[in-house]
Amino acid sequence: MSGTSPRLVTWENGTDLVIELLLARDVETVWNALTDAESARAWFAPFRLGAETGAEESDTADEADSDGSAARPITFALEDIDLNGSVLSCEDFDHVLLELDDFGVLGIRLLPFEGETGQETLLVFTHTAPDAETARGQAAEVGPMWDTHLRLFARTLGINIAEVTEPELVAVYSDLDLEVAESADATEVES
């Protein structure tokens, strides 16, 4: 995969915009780059974690509650505003699930992959919507933005990734195929 691979996937609780990106780096390297609050500035925005009450803040997402027991506030410092949300779940070197005020639920999962260069990582980004129609609208509206940020992230890792113009991204994200995820219930019924 020399670039991103987007699609829409319907499952029992909604429809996800799914963007996959194969990175020629091991999971630990990708996780450390992903969760470094200050280096996130290069591909999205610097962030801070902490309690809303002003409790001590942390600099890395991997220090979040890894058992997913309680949402933890997160703020991304964009150029002119703060983007607030919560870390819903975080497991070191595996995934982070966020709910951002202006975007909803977003996830990033890292899967180890034995590739041509040795240990590689499949980064799976998801943006959840309640239904397929909403997901199609979100994909057309914000899919190109997420794709661009993921490409920027790959470049911060020193990975040469193909350039794609905004009109090309808009065309791709405005016409994504819809897949239906197999649920555990559906598998049991077919058996």
Side-chain angles (χ1 to χ4, degrees), residues 6-8 17 19 132-145 147 165-178:
R7 64 189 189 281
L8 294 173
L17 166 61
I19 306 172
E133 180 138 345
T134 304
R136 283 196 188 285
Q138 285 178 347
E141 184 179 333
V142 297
M145 175 193 68
D147 192 292
T165 66
E166 187 171 345
E168 289 171 323
L169 288 174
V170 168
V172 167
Y173 283 90
S174 296
D175 189 31
L176 291 176
D177 289 333
L178 181 64

Side-chain angles (χ1 to χ4, degrees), residues 19-93:
I19 306 172
E20 294 181 343
L21 178 61
L22 186 59
L23 301 166
R25 301 292 182 269
D26 63 272
V27 168
E28 184 175 351
T29 299
V30 174
W31 180 260
N32 290 336
L34 184 69
T35 59
D36 182 71
E38 196 53 37
S39 69
R41 173 187 314 273
W43 62 275
F44 186 62
F47 63 88
R48 62 186 179 277
L49 290 169
E52 295 176 65
T53 60
E56 184 177 320
E57 293 180 353
S58 167
D59 284 339
T60 61
D62 60 320
E63 294 174 17
D65 297 333
S66 61
D67 64 358
S69 61
R72 184 169 181 190
I74 186 168
T75 301
F76 289 92
L78 302 175
E79 289 180 10
D80 52 353
I81 61 165
D82 283 348
L83 176 59
N84 296 307
S86 299
V87 177
L88 302 176
S89 175
C90 181
E91 187 175 323
D92 291 351
F93 309 106

Side-chain angles (χ1 to χ4, degrees), residues 73-126:
I74 186 168
T75 301
F76 289 92
L78 302 175
E79 289 180 10
D80 52 353
I81 61 165
D82 283 348
L83 176 59
N84 296 307
S86 299
V87 177
L88 302 176
S89 175
C90 181
E91 187 175 323
D92 291 351
F93 309 106
D94 184 71
H95 76 273
V96 62
L97 185 65
L98 307 171
E99 184 165 14
L100 298 180
D101 292 349
D102 295 337
F103 294 103
V105 177
L106 309 171
I108 295 179
R109 178 114 196 231
L110 303 180
L111 302 169
F113 183 81
E114 188 67 40
E116 293 177 13
T117 63
Q119 283 299 319
E120 297 180 359
T121 302
L122 180 63
L123 183 150
V124 181
F125 171 88
T126 57

